[in-house]
Amino acid sequence: MGQMSFTPVESLDEDAARQELARLADILLKANAAYHQDDAPVMSDAEFDALKQRNAEIEQLFPNLKRSDSPSELVGAAPSDGFSKVTHEISMLSLANAFDAQDIVDFDQRIRKYLGLSDEDDLSYTAEPKIDGLSLSLRYEEGALVQAATRGDGRVGEKVTANAETVNDIPGKIANAPKLLEVRGEVYMAHDDFGALNARQAETGGKTFANPRNAAAGSLRQLDSEVTRARPLRFFAYAWGAVSEPFAKTQFEAIKKLKSFGFQTNPLTITCRNTEEMLQHYARIEAQRATLGYDIDGVVYKVDDLGLQGRLGFRSTTPRWAVAHKFPAELAWTRLESIDIQVGRTGALSPVARLSPVTVGGVVVSNATLHNEDYIAGRDNKGDLIRDGKDIRVGDWVQVYRAGDVIPKIADLDLSKRPDGAERYVFPETCPQCQSAAVREVGDAVRRCTGGLICPAQAVEKLKHFVSRPAFDIEGLGTKQVEQFYADGWIAEPADIFTLRDRYGAGMQQLKNREGWGEKSASKLFDAIDEKRKVPLGRFLYSLGIRHVGEAASNLLARHYGTYDALDRAMDAATEMNGDAWEDLLSIDGVGEVMATSLVTTMTQASEKASIERLVRQLDVQEAVRPMASESPVTGKTVVFTGTLEKMTRAEAKARAESLGAKVSGSVSSKTDILVAGPGAGSKAKKASELGVETIDEDGWLELIEGA
Ligand code: IVH
């Protein structure tokens, strides 16, 4: 795919169209299988859709070329129609909003009036964080989870039972609970887990999420529950729907009961005797907001007495007995002074908004990300309009926001304040750093500089990555030093780091004379560099900063190929992206087409290859050894897992197999030794039996490795 530029469909001749249809069929069919059968997406939904769209356009222009295996009928990754509908026995309502202290006083007054209470009468409320996730209703019958449903429009939701079952915080069975109990609460993703998930997604070329809420929603609404299982979702219970019998007298007691049934309940839930206490708790929660580790967007107050809740009842879509006191949005308006383009390690051109400084949620902001050219133009990565299609122009009055501690973003703009003569922003089609062409590949939202090593921005970013902690981690050689050395022409590529002593060490005059360097620090630096010459293959590979090839993948590749020479030979053999070496690369569980393409393209491109080889000559790249304590019954065997595993997760099964010296692959071939097939195993089991591959079930596997 790396070679497939965005040739306009109209300018394809018949031959080119035929070739491209073949290529698209191959990529899309594999991507589809990777997504639906292997739980290992090799591209984002947007990429998939874009490729499918291109395929359709070509087919429309050349109907006679439509292939018998045309991917045009494939159902993409959009799950929306894939779930069956559930009508909630009791509607899932939303909450009325309040924004300031007066709104809360009014809320209390309204309730007192409705109930005929005076200001002196006791009236307690609970106060708890409003979790920013998505609500879920869990139906338990005789203590067993029988159905999970999303809120949907409040009346009809989607049935996501199999997915909910994979969430750790959601018990499959509960004890001492009413015969029928619908537990309601919020599914969310913690900040740490969100960060790790996005990093993993980016590494594997998958879809990354804008915020934890989107990630939680996207993860819960997966057609394949195995994908959900791999996503770190959590759940707080805070309410209930249908129940066979009352199980508490107050809201607070009910929450305690939910906890005793085995649910997570929010520890910041308290009872308050009056509005002052409610507002105090609001202030307390707001102060803790940044350190909670998950997103909340306000505080919910509920009348504590369930008898009174019953009397108060509901308005059309919200209960009278509760209100959400929202946190003020971290938003501010300011002027967009200019748009700069930054060039990253992989050549990505990232537009950055330079803003007239403004305080957003207590922090002064003068830069914000503009994501990519489509975002500036008012489109998302599917081509749909955002901000009603308003494009962003220099001079515009823009609304800036911060979500958590992430980079500020621009939410909206005020057309009425647009200066006369403001012009549509034209995204550069050449790299601002090296003037090479900057191109967009099919399905890529990002325009990238094609300058490779000749691009100074890419070179510096690559060097920074090379010396970063998970890569070479050379003491005394950080971002600042790398920038300085590069600017002075001392280092242009990683190999140059290792010849610094030879070139500048003798007199050491030049380094010594620099600001911040003395004889001691200079020789310390050279020693620190020498110390890192011996490097494990996985770390070496990661340090090259190849797009889509992250830390985990680098280690997988290292373990698969063993030595740099073997890896290098395999890449050469896979240049054409077909044949045995290519198939072998794709057979590594965790390596998809996108990553493989990037790896092969980079490692075989002449100047990149020469640069890597210069580096290798300076190093002692260690052979990767499988962590193998002793021989086990599966040592050296190639194992494939398929279907549903019931006693362990896929990730767990794979890690265990690898620790016993087995090689875990994602697809069945003649090289497969054992297929472990759980319920629902499909094409892989069939293929294994055709090839005569030994097939066992999960219990058989556990027996086989027992005691190993
Ligand atoms: S109580 C009948 N408590 O906020 C009212 N909702 O804006 C039941 N939410 O749809 C909701 N945290 O998804 C309640 N502690 C909390 C909540 C909470 C988050 C969500 C819930 C609801 C939405 C309303």
Side-chain angles (χ1 to χ4, degrees):
M1 234 184 4
Q3 309 301 324
M4 197 159 65
S5 62
F6 217 131
T7 314
V9 170
E10 311 78 65
S11 51
L12 292 172
D13 61 22
E14 185 155 338
D15 267 353
R18 184 180 295 111
Q19 263 179 26
E20 188 125 348
L21 285 176
R23 211 175 164 97
L24 287 166
D26 184 47
I27 294 171
L28 287 167
L29 293 167
K30 278 188 187 149
N32 198 52
Y35 184 90
H36 291 287
Q37 290 155 31
D38 303 337
D39 319 332
V42 291
M43 61 176 68
S44 66
D45 295 358
E47 272 179 300
F48 186 91
D49 292 342
L51 291 178
K52 226 178 102 179
Q53 173 67 24
R54 183 168 170 78
N55 186 78
E57 283 169 18
I58 300 176
E59 284 178 351
Q60 201 175 5
L61 275 181
F62 300 94
N64 58 319
L65 296 183
K66 184 166 172 175
R67 301 165 58 93
S68 57
D69 65 347
S70 161
S72 57
E73 309 308 322
L74 288 178
V75 186
S80 49
D81 293 331
F83 295 101
S84 54
K85 302 277 181 273
V86 175
T87 302
H88 299 294
E89 195 173 320
I90 294 180
S91 286
M92 291 181 80
L93 299 176
S94 56
L95 294 167
N97 289 327
F99 298 97
D100 56 26
Q102 188 57 49
D103 288 347
I104 302 311
V105 171
D106 292 348
F107 166 70
D108 177 60
Q109 286 297 316
R110 264 198 317 273
I111 288 177
R112 286 179 184 275
K113 193 166 166 216
Y114 192 95
L115 294 172
L117 299 176
S118 77
D119 286 352
E120 279 66 49
D121 288 320
D122 285 344
L123 180 58
S124 290
Y125 295 91
T126 57
E128 68 197 76
K130 182 168 188 297
I131 317 298
D132 197 5
L134 67 152
S135 46
L136 188 68
S137 185
L138 304 166
R139 190 178 172 97
Y140 289 86
E141 288 172 8
E142 313 281 350
L145 176 63
V146 294
Q147 178 179 284
T150 63
R151 177 169 179 273
D153 63 6
R155 201 180 62 81
V156 180
E158 286 176 327
K159 193 159 144 184
V160 291
T161 317
N163 295 350
E165 280 168 349
T166 71
V167 177
N168 272 336
D169 287 348
I170 297 179
K173 290 218 168 353
I174 56 176
N176 306 318
K179 266 197 169 89
L180 164 67
L181 172 64
E182 282 181 2
V183 176
R184 291 179 175 178
E186 204 86 351
V187 174
Y188 68 101
M189 198 177 281
H191 291 160
D192 285 355
D193 291 333
F194 168 69
L197 171 64
N198 259 358
R200 214 165 2 130
Q201 293 289 100
E203 200 172 278
T204 52
K207 176 189 169 104
T208 55
F209 298 96
N211 55 48
R213 209 203 78 83
N214 284 359
S219 300
L220 185 68
R221 296 178 68 263
Q222 288 287 333
L223 277 184
D224 183 342
S225 60
E226 287 307 308
V227 177
T228 308
R229 190 187 297 282
R231 302 281 174 83
L233 293 175
R234 302 177 191 224
F235 180 79
F236 275 130
Y238 53 65
W240 56 94
V243 281
S244 51
E245 68 250 5
F247 62 101
K249 289 201 160 58
T250 65
Q251 179 75 29
F252 195 71
E253 195 198 330
I255 299 303
K256 280 199 294 198
K257 275 280 176 66
L258 292 176
K259 188 164 183 205
S260 78
F261 297 153
F263 291 94
Q264 300 296 321
T265 56
N266 194 286
L268 289 170
T269 309
I270 64 161
T271 52
C272 302
R273 284 165 303 185
N274 50 47
T275 50
E276 286 87 67
E277 288 183 7
M278 291 152 78
L279 295 169
Q280 267 167 19
H281 196 52
Y282 175 87
R284 218 176 287 136
I285 291 177
E286 192 177 27
Q288 291 186 45
R289 184 180 183 188
T291 52
L292 285 178
Y294 51 87
D295 282 351
I296 61 172
D297 56 352
V299 174
V300 183
Y301 310 115
K302 299 169 187 166
V303 169
D304 192 34
D305 186 311
L306 296 183
L308 297 180
Q309 278 191 13
R311 281 175 56 198
L312 285 157
F314 303 93
R315 288 172 293 241
S316 64
T317 59
T318 56
R320 273 192 202 87
W321 43 265
V323 73
H325 187 178
K326 302 289 281 276
F327 293 133
E330 301 194 339
L331 281 173
W333 286 91
T334 187
R335 182 178 305 282
L336 172 60
E337 301 292 350
S338 62
I339 297 177
D340 279 0
I341 302 287
Q342 289 181 344
V343 184
R345 166 167 61 84
T346 58
L349 267 48
S350 309
V352 180
R354 303 294 180 202
L355 306 166
S356 205
V358 62
T359 307
V360 187
V363 176
V364 179
V365 168
S366 47
N367 301 313
T369 178
L370 288 167
H371 306 285
N372 54 51
E373 61 189 286
D374 288 345
Y375 189 80
I376 298 176
R379 289 187 302 265
D380 67 10
N381 57 9
K382 293 204 169 84
D384 295 333
L385 296 187
I386 48 176
R387 300 183 302 269
D388 299 326
K390 287 180 282 188
D391 68 302
I392 298 174
R393 302 185 186 188
V394 171
D396 268 342
W397 201 248
V398 293
Q399 191 185 41
V400 188
Y401 71 100
R402 287 172 58 237
D405 55 358
V406 294
I407 323 161
K409 298 187 173 102
I410 287 179
D412 203 0
L413 58 95
D414 186 347
L415 276 186
S416 71
K417 292 199 172 148
R418 176 167 282 175
D420 289 341
E423 285 183 25
R424 209 170 243 287
Y425 180 73
V426 181
F427 204 90
E429 293 187 358
T430 54
C431 171
Q433 297 281 337
C434 72
Q435 278 68 50
S436 302
V439 300
R440 279 181 75 171
E441 284 172 11
V442 185
D444 195 350
V446 174
R447 191 171 282 280
R448 289 173 203 275
C449 163
T450 54
L453 290 175
I454 69 149
C455 176
Q458 286 190 55
V460 170
E461 292 305 318
K462 267 201 152 101
L463 283 164
K464 285 190 203 162
H465 171 81
F466 185 83
V467 300
S468 68
R469 189 164 294 225
F472 268 72
D473 191 22
I474 297 169
E475 205 176 331
L477 193 61
T479 307
K480 219 176 84 206
Q481 290 78 8
V482 162
E483 278 174 351
Q484 199 179 64
F485 288 1
Y486 182 85
D488 292 350
W490 285 28
I491 54 172
E493 60 171 18
D496 299 337
I497 293 170
F498 297 92
T499 57
L500 271 175
R501 191 200 291 271
D502 290 350
R503 291 182 291 137
Y504 300 101
M508 252 202 258
Q509 230 24 57
Q510 305 189 52
L511 187 54
K512 270 183 352 197
N513 292 344
R514 264 170 197 278
E515 207 186 323
W517 289 96
E519 184 148 354
K520 235 171 146 185
S521 55
S523 88
K524 246 176 94 182
L525 172 65
F526 296 142
D527 290 346
I529 291 172
D530 284 342
E531 247 173 58
K532 298 291 164 109
R533 285 184 198 265
K534 198 162 156 180
V535 61
L537 178 59
R539 192 178 264 256
F540 165 79
L541 193 53
Y542 171 70
S543 74
L544 298 178
I546 298 171
R547 198 169 151 222
H548 300 306
V549 185
E551 244 182 305
S554 299
N555 288 323
L556 281 176
L557 290 160
R559 247 177 291 158
H560 185 81
Y561 292 105
T563 64
Y564 170 73
D565 284 338
L567 170 70
D568 184 44
R569 276 195 306 274
M571 294 303 108
D572 283 340
T575 315
E576 300 296 325
M577 297 182 201
N578 55 33
D580 288 352
W582 176 246
E583 290 303 326
D584 182 54
L585 173 58
L586 288 178
S587 78
I588 304 173
D589 204 9
V591 175
E593 185 124 13
V594 172
M595 191 200 296
T597 305
S598 167
L599 183 70
V600 173
T601 314
T602 308
M603 292 198 67
T604 57
Q605 194 266 333
S607 60
E608 292 272 5
K609 190 175 164 83
S611 166
I612 294 170
E613 275 168 5
R614 282 192 290 276
L615 174 63
V616 171
R617 279 199 287 279
Q618 297 297 328
L619 302 174
D620 175 8
V621 183
Q622 306 280 293
E623 183 171 345
V625 273
R626 295 220 174 101
M628 212 185 297
S630 57
E631 287 283 301
S632 83
V634 296
T635 304
K637 300 243 164 105
T638 297
V639 183
V640 175
F641 292 94
T642 189
T644 314
L645 299 181
E646 281 156 348
K647 300 192 172 138
M648 54 197 160
T649 63
R650 250 327 146 87
E652 202 178 327
K654 181 166 175 260
R656 178 101 175 95
E658 282 173 350
S659 77
L660 295 172
K663 191 175 122 182
V664 177
S665 165
S667 58
V668 174
S669 74
S670 56
K671 291 192 198 141
T672 310
D673 296 299
I674 304 170
L675 177 73
V676 183
S683 59
K684 286 182 197 171
K686 195 166 153 241
K687 186 155 181 205
S689 89
E690 280 162 19
L691 293 169
V693 171
E694 177 186 358
T695 301
I696 55 179
D697 62 9
E698 188 176 7
D699 286 334
W701 166 255
L702 291 172
E703 227 166 81
L704 180 66
I705 61 170
E706 200 189 343

